[in-house]
Amino acid sequence: MRLAIPLLLLSLAACTTLPPRGQLAMRDVQFPVRDLRYASGLRILVEPDRRRPVVAVVTLVGSGGASDPKGKQGLAHLVEHLTFRAHAAQRPSRWGQLEAAGAGYINAYTSFDTTVYHALAPRKSLGELLRIEGERLANPLQGVTPELFDVEREVVRNELRERNETGFVGQVFSAIQRASFPEGHLYAQPVVGEHGSLSALTLEDAQSFSRGNYRPENTTLVIVGDVDPTTVDQLVAQHLPARLLGAGLMELTPDKRLPDEPPPVPLNPRTEVLELEAAVPTPELYLGWTLPRGYDDASFLQDFVERIMPSALSPALQEDGDIAGLSTSLIPGRHASLLVVRVVLHSGDHPEKSAERVLDQLYRFWGDQLATDDVLAARTGVQLQRLSVVTGMALESEDIMARALRRAELTHFSLDARAYMRSLASVARADANRVTRFAYDYLQRERARRVMVRPTRGAAGTAVAGGRVAPLSLVEEDVPSQVLLTPPPAVSGFRTLRLENGLEVVLGAMPGLPLATVRVWLHGGSATGEPLGVGTLADSIVFPDSVFQGTSADFGLHRHSSVFSDHATFGFSGAAGNLPNMLAMTAEQLSSLKTEDAYVRSFQEQYLPYLKKAEAWPEYRAALAFQAALYPRHVYGREASAAQLQNVGERDVEAWVERTYRPANAVVAIVGELDLDETEKQVRTWLSQWKGPEGVPTVIPAPELGPAHPVQFLLTASPGATQTWVAWGCPLPAADAATEARYSLMAELVSTRLSRQVRASLGASYGLRGRAVVREGGAAHLEVQGAVENAQLVPALAAVRQSLGELSQGKWRPVEFEAARRRVNQQRALSLGTSAALADAVLDTRGRGWPLADVENHPKHLSAVTPEALQRDFGWCAEHLVVSLRGEEAVIRGVEAAWTHDASTRAPESPPGG
């Protein structure tokens, strides 16, 4: 069946020069989908999107934490991990196979009722991705040995301690579940598990779970991208095992997964605050509300409320100076959903007061005792928020992976391939009365359940005296690949303008969806201004003095503003028809930025006391010391202290703004569904009005690199830490675009080796992640960071030393070198699928002064990297190495001696093929 559903059911007139306030100037688009139903119960949805030669593949298994047997919490999540490590005889792991297939993005997550696997790869790899997913479903734990099971269970235990991709520390989310749901409810048991339950799990438990839940009738597979939906069934039949398809395609109506009558919304009768310690740098307060089930036609209200919640609660930051920030998360479920508000606190001295200040905002916005004028204002606010929510969902849908994930979840439980489109259309028509009624029914203060989390300061284990690096598996993960490198989006057709005010503007057409992004890069950031700290202060307290052209809320635009160490950014994303509004507001707001002394005093009174406390935190001190060691005697190695910020005044800020926010100091990228000729006219009309002092852009000199030196150790005590945060790296010679590609390859090689040794072989970490950092002026460094279990710190550091030593001697297999090059290319090329991502890539290139062509020359730069050049880079790094350890003092104290002690750090012989 082929469906053609409009993305947004909005009737919009042709765009005038400036669309009026309250108008979302966005044309309708079509997202056709083919719905394949097999006799086995397997459901496959196929949605073509030919903007780029890539495909997203999502496999959703309809079992999650709620399916864990009693006493075996965390089993579904552990099985998720294990399916990536499973493999047929003499094959790499499934993760390795996905990488060999050219996947540039691979991940998975486990929730209440789902385990979801997703990968993004070149279109020609679709058959191989289907084969791998078919193998995962047909034989989830193939090749998993008891030894491998034990190691991966330790990885999960380390994930439980560490903040992960969801933004929650594992045990924190488990506590929110316990606080929010009644005892005995399926969603009250921890999805990620607890140390006790994880320790009790066995390989037989995992095998039994996978046999009972990884079944075709419990699975939905979604393919979105450059695919022919009329012939995909032939590809499916060729690559998926026959037993997953049954008798083939059939028009079947499966049993309902969601009963017609929703279950009652659960509520934990216990209201006391749950308190715990976890791996958070500052105290955090969590507020949780149980909501009706997700995945049905009414669940769009939950999505809407989640998206408008941050702005609704934001006045709490002004009313309580201890609140540092707010964010929201929605976790849908087939029986109920959970809305969580995370409140980051400066000191946590009065969490009860902070909670009440947050809850007060909900009461004023949706309460039943509002004055008539307040009710009207609230409804008007919902109407404006609707524009922002619709824009946000449209921007999200531009990302084919986000679209595939959302479609998989909604379709699997509703059994309706149109559910995703209906959800978008429902948000576009959201009725203010219905939204406020929903919020009033479910978000009352008495329904909120609270969890207070403080930084870990309890007793910690100690390190072992020594250890040896475990050899890698005999099955090599790196294998030759025939997959061609995915090209980045072409920029040869982009247009570069130089306006009379000195502003450089790059225009790029990215057809497909009616969206556009305007981004501004301004040279000079928080580390470069004088007096030190003026950029940090300006980022917090400057505001536009004129908004005659409107604000982002008037047009549903998403505003972006940040100050980094070397540059500042500003811009908007939204409907392409509102591009003139974006340009007019960009010129007006950047021309009129100012501050007042009252804002300076408020910053000093509210933020500086927090910063003074932060300066004593181990996390803060370790990060500053690490940067200072990488960039001694250079602006990038410094950070303003509270004492220095105390001396920065209003005139300093205004002078910094005048130096920084001027056309001659900026580059603008405009990317999206554009008519280049018409957009150029709009740019010249509006951005030429941006006035500012002339002169050359701010120039940041490259740092002078020092001589070779022995390993520099930085030890920071963090009492009670159960893991040691390891950060190591080195300054690198000044970079251009070609050198940056080489440094990225360098980071990939070393972090992959360490991931396999420290995570896959030892189970000592959730992951050690490396990256190459390049800043304005060519300043560059390599850094690898991650948390390591205390008892495995010495062998983990031995792996660091061994890997760096081997790489500096050029000891790698050619296939390892080529696989790393392929991964770096795919990760970058496949990440540029949205207008915002491509605009950022343009600015990253031009902001550093490199030719625009380097955006698409990245594969050429990678292909030009020679083993000899890479070996020299690693040799340089070994001679300029900095190692930072933050953890329990008794654990880290003897590490420096262990590093140089042959008996503790002697590496084993390289595995066969090494």
Side-chain angles (χ1 to χ4, degrees):
M1 179 171 69
R2 186 176 177 84
L3 304 171
I5 308 296
L7 168 62
L8 300 173
L9 303 181
L10 300 175
S11 177
L12 299 174
C15 181
T16 60
T17 302
L18 275 182
R21 298 188 189 199
Q23 186 181 74
L24 191 66
M26 184 184 294
R27 65 169 175 81
D28 291 347
V29 297
Q30 302 291 323
F31 283 156
V33 61
R34 186 179 180 199
D35 184 5
L36 306 176
R37 306 183 189 190
Y38 289 87
S40 63
L42 177 67
R43 187 82 170 271
I44 301 180
L45 298 184
V46 185
E47 180 197 313
D49 185 330
R50 294 187 171 87
R51 291 175 298 154
R52 295 200 61 212
V54 300
V55 291
V57 175
V58 172
T59 302
L60 184 149
V61 177
S63 301
S67 303
D68 290 339
K70 187 176 181 180
K72 300 184 185 297
Q73 293 88 351
L75 181 57
H77 178 233
L78 178 55
V79 169
E80 171 216 308
H81 277 240
L82 292 169
T83 67
F84 280 115
R85 302 205 62 179
H87 62 87
Q90 301 308 310
R91 276 188 178 271
S93 70
R94 291 198 187 111
W95 187 284
Q97 293 178 55
L98 287 166
E99 289 183 336
Y105 177 79
I106 309 166
N107 215 330
Y109 61 86
T110 303
S111 190
F112 292 150
D113 304 297
T114 58
T115 303
V116 184
Y117 303 93
H118 41 294
L120 190 65
R123 65 183 174 195
K124 292 186 178 180
S125 298
L126 178 57
E128 180 66 2
L129 263 61
L130 290 174
R131 183 197 65 76
I132 295 168
E133 293 308 307
E135 184 182 276
R136 191 199 306 270
L137 293 172
N139 199 344
L141 303 187
Q142 183 179 18
V144 174
T145 63
E147 294 77 16
L148 191 153
F149 175 88
D150 290 342
V151 168
E152 199 60 30
R153 182 175 55 187
E154 290 307 304
V155 171
V156 172
R157 285 164 58 88
N158 279 290
E159 180 185 2
L160 185 60
R161 302 183 184 103
E162 184 182 343
R163 188 179 302 282
N164 57 41
E165 290 90 346
T166 65
F168 297 108
V169 179
Q171 63 263 45
V172 169
F173 185 61
S174 300
I176 297 168
Q177 291 180 258
R178 289 198 307 273
S180 302
F181 292 99
E183 186 177 355
H185 193 279
L186 288 173
Y187 296 167
Q189 62 180 13
V191 171
V192 74
E194 297 174 318
H195 288 294
S197 65
L198 289 170
S199 297
L201 296 179
T202 65
L203 178 56
E204 290 72 23
D205 293 330
Q207 292 168 333
S208 176
F209 182 92
S210 63
R211 284 194 300 269
N213 292 279
Y214 282 61
R215 310 183 316 274
E217 68 272 22
N218 195 36
T219 303
T220 298
L221 195 149
V222 174
I223 304 166
V224 178
D226 192 3
V227 58
D228 183 354
T230 64
T231 60
V232 74
D233 51 314
Q234 302 169 26
L235 203 62
V236 168
Q238 179 183 352
H239 292 283
L240 260 61
R243 64 190 180 92
L244 293 181
L245 307 178
L249 287 170
M250 299 181 68
E251 286 294 331
L252 297 178
T253 304
D255 294 335
K256 292 182 178 179
R257 290 195 173 107
L258 296 176
D260 291 335
E261 188 65 27
V265 178
L267 182 65
N268 192 341
R270 302 186 63 172
T271 60
E272 67 270 19
V273 178
L274 186 60
E275 298 196 8
L276 72 154
E277 292 184 352
V280 294
T282 67
E284 296 181 355
L285 173 68
Y286 289 84
L287 304 173
W289 288 266
T290 52
L291 305 178
R293 71 182 181 191
Y295 311 124
D296 61 15
D297 284 348
S299 63
F300 81 91
L301 290 166
Q302 303 176 19
D303 297 305
F304 195 97
V305 167
E306 180 207 9
R307 289 173 184 264
I308 68 175
M309 184 76 81
S311 61
L313 302 182
S314 60
L317 278 76
Q318 283 73 49
E319 295 188 6
D320 183 355
D322 197 43
I323 298 178
L326 295 162
S327 61
T328 58
S329 300
L330 176 67
I331 301 94
R334 62 184 300 188
H335 302 290
S337 297
L338 177 63
L339 180 67
V340 180
V341 173
R342 175 183 169 216
V343 185
V344 180
L345 304 174
H346 290 312
S347 66
D349 292 338
H350 50 261
E352 300 84 2
K353 174 186 172 184
S354 298
E356 293 305 314
R357 290 295 175 267
V358 173
L359 294 170
D360 283 346
Q361 316 313 316
L362 292 173
Y363 184 79
R364 288 204 309 267
F365 198 77
W366 290 303
D368 60 349
Q369 299 180 15
L370 297 176
T372 302
D373 289 346
D374 292 333
V375 172
L376 293 175
R379 290 178 179 173
T380 301
V382 171
Q383 298 291 0
L384 287 176
Q385 289 287 355
R386 180 172 63 180
L387 297 179
S388 177
V389 171
V390 170
T391 300
M393 296 186 78
L395 291 168
E396 183 179 78
S397 71
E398 191 181 17
D399 183 333
I400 65 171
M401 178 57 76
R403 207 161 75 233
L405 287 167
R406 185 65 173 154
R407 191 185 284 282
E409 291 181 337
L410 288 172
T411 302
H412 182 81
F413 290 102
S414 70
L415 301 176
D416 183 354
R418 300 167 298 176
Y420 173 69
M421 307 309 302
R422 285 211 313 270
S423 174
L424 295 177
S426 296
V427 170
R429 297 192 304 263
D431 175 76
N433 289 332
R434 194 173 176 189
V435 171
T436 53
R437 182 74 239 181
F438 177 87
Y440 178 72
D441 287 343
Y442 297 107
L443 297 178
Q444 292 288 346
R445 66 169 65 232
E446 61 269 16
R447 296 193 78 254
R449 298 297 180 260
R450 310 179 189 188
V451 175
M452 182 63 196
V453 184
R454 297 190 183 276
T456 301
R457 291 293 182 266
T462 58
V464 295
R468 295 170 65 85
V469 182
L472 300 181
S473 167
L474 293 179
V475 177
E476 295 292 353
E477 289 292 279
D478 293 319
V479 295
S481 174
Q482 302 302 315
V483 179
L484 296 176
L485 296 182
T486 301
V491 297
S492 55
F494 284 23
R495 184 178 300 178
T496 300
L497 313 175
R498 177 71 70 173
L499 305 186
E500 291 183 358
N501 58 7
L503 179 65
E504 178 185 336
V505 183
V506 180
L507 310 180
M510 189 175 181
L513 292 180
L515 300 166
T517 290
V518 176
R519 285 280 199 274
V520 184
W521 175 295
L522 299 122
H523 302 284
S526 61
T528 62
E530 295 294 345
L532 181 60
V534 64
T536 301
L537 182 58
D539 184 39
S540 302
I541 66 173
V542 297
F543 59 91
D545 192 35
S546 174
V547 289
F548 177 78
Q549 300 294 352
T551 66
S552 56
D554 294 325
F555 309 100
L557 303 174
H558 286 220
R559 185 177 182 273
H560 169 88
S561 178
S562 296
V563 174
F564 301 93
S565 60
D566 61 337
H567 71 279
T569 59
F570 179 89
F572 301 96
S573 293
N578 290 112
L579 178 58
N581 304 106
M582 300 186 215
L583 297 174
M585 288 190 298
T586 297
E588 179 185 39
Q589 294 186 23
L590 291 180
S591 294
S592 66
L593 289 174
K594 60 171 291 186
T595 192
E596 295 175 356
D597 188 59
Y599 286 84
V600 176
R601 291 198 304 272
S602 177
F603 178 89
Q604 292 172 342
E605 293 170 0
Q606 295 187 15
Y607 177 73
L608 292 189
Y610 155 74
L611 181 57
K612 289 178 181 177
K613 291 184 178 180
E615 289 172 348
W617 295 337
E619 298 84 356
Y620 188 91
R621 291 187 289 113
L624 259 60
F626 187 57
Q627 286 298 312
L630 292 174
Y631 294 98
R633 301 175 302 280
H634 191 269
V635 293
Y636 292 147
R638 61 183 191 169
E639 183 78 21
S641 66
Q644 290 169 316
L645 283 167
Q646 186 73 49
N647 297 322
V648 181
E650 177 185 358
R651 291 185 179 180
D652 297 318
V653 172
E654 291 179 342
W656 186 85
V657 168
E658 187 176 21
R659 290 194 306 270
T660 304
Y661 288 82
R662 53 190 175 92
N665 193 49
V667 180
V668 175
I670 304 171
V671 178
E673 189 173 74
L674 314 177
D675 178 297
L676 293 184
D677 292 335
E678 180 60 31
T679 303
E680 180 174 344
K681 294 177 184 177
Q682 295 169 353
V683 165
R684 294 191 183 278
T685 296
W686 297 109
L687 294 186
S688 293
Q689 298 181 20
W690 180 11
K691 304 301 181 184
E694 298 180 356
V696 299
T698 300
V699 177
I700 306 169
E704 294 183 6
L705 299 177
H709 59 74
V711 178
Q712 182 178 354
F713 276 91
L714 308 172
L715 305 182
T716 305
S718 181
T722 60
Q723 294 174 307
T724 299
W725 186 259
V726 177
W728 67 270
C730 56
L732 295 168
D736 56 15
T739 316
E740 182 194 38
R742 192 173 80 232
Y743 291 166
S744 296
L745 180 54
M746 183 183 184
E748 177 65 23
L749 265 173
V750 71
S751 58
T752 299
R753 276 203 174 192
L754 289 177
S755 176
R756 292 174 184 172
Q757 291 179 318
V758 179
R759 172 175 170 152
S761 293
L762 291 173
S765 173
Y766 182 50
L768 292 173
R769 292 164 282 276
R771 64 173 184 151
V773 178
V774 177
R775 297 189 172 113
E776 283 207 45
H781 72 269
L782 171 72
E783 64 178 41
V784 181
Q785 300 194 33
V788 175
E789 183 183 354
N790 284 348
Q792 296 278 18
L793 180 59
V794 169
L797 288 177
V800 171
R801 183 183 179 192
Q802 172 191 331
S803 293
L804 189 55
E806 290 179 348
L807 294 170
S808 65
Q809 298 171 38
K811 291 184 178 179
W812 55 70
R813 296 176 299 120
V815 69
E816 178 185 8
F817 181 86
E818 293 304 323
R821 177 155 36 201
R822 182 179 67 241
R823 287 192 299 268
V824 171
N825 182 83
Q826 299 301 84
Q827 290 162 9
R828 176 183 167 88
L830 295 175
S831 70
L832 300 178
T834 67
S835 57
L838 186 52
D840 287 339
V842 168
L843 286 188
D844 285 345
T845 300
R846 291 300 301 129
R848 296 188 178 104
W850 304 338
L852 179 62
D854 279 329
V855 172
E856 59 181 284
N857 284 340
H858 191 257
K860 296 179 182 178
H861 293 323
L862 278 173
S863 297
V865 175
T866 65
E868 293 76 17
L870 209 58
Q871 180 182 343
R872 286 196 299 271
D873 290 335
F874 279 116
W876 169 277
C877 190
E879 295 176 345
H880 297 79
L881 188 63
V882 177
V883 177
S884 172
L885 303 175
R886 186 189 79 231
E888 178 67 48
E889 187 172 4
V891 175
I892 65 176
R893 187 185 301 123
V895 166
E896 184 173 1
W899 179 278
T900 57
H901 194 276
D902 289 343
S904 298
T905 60
R906 186 174 60 250
E909 294 297 321
S910 298

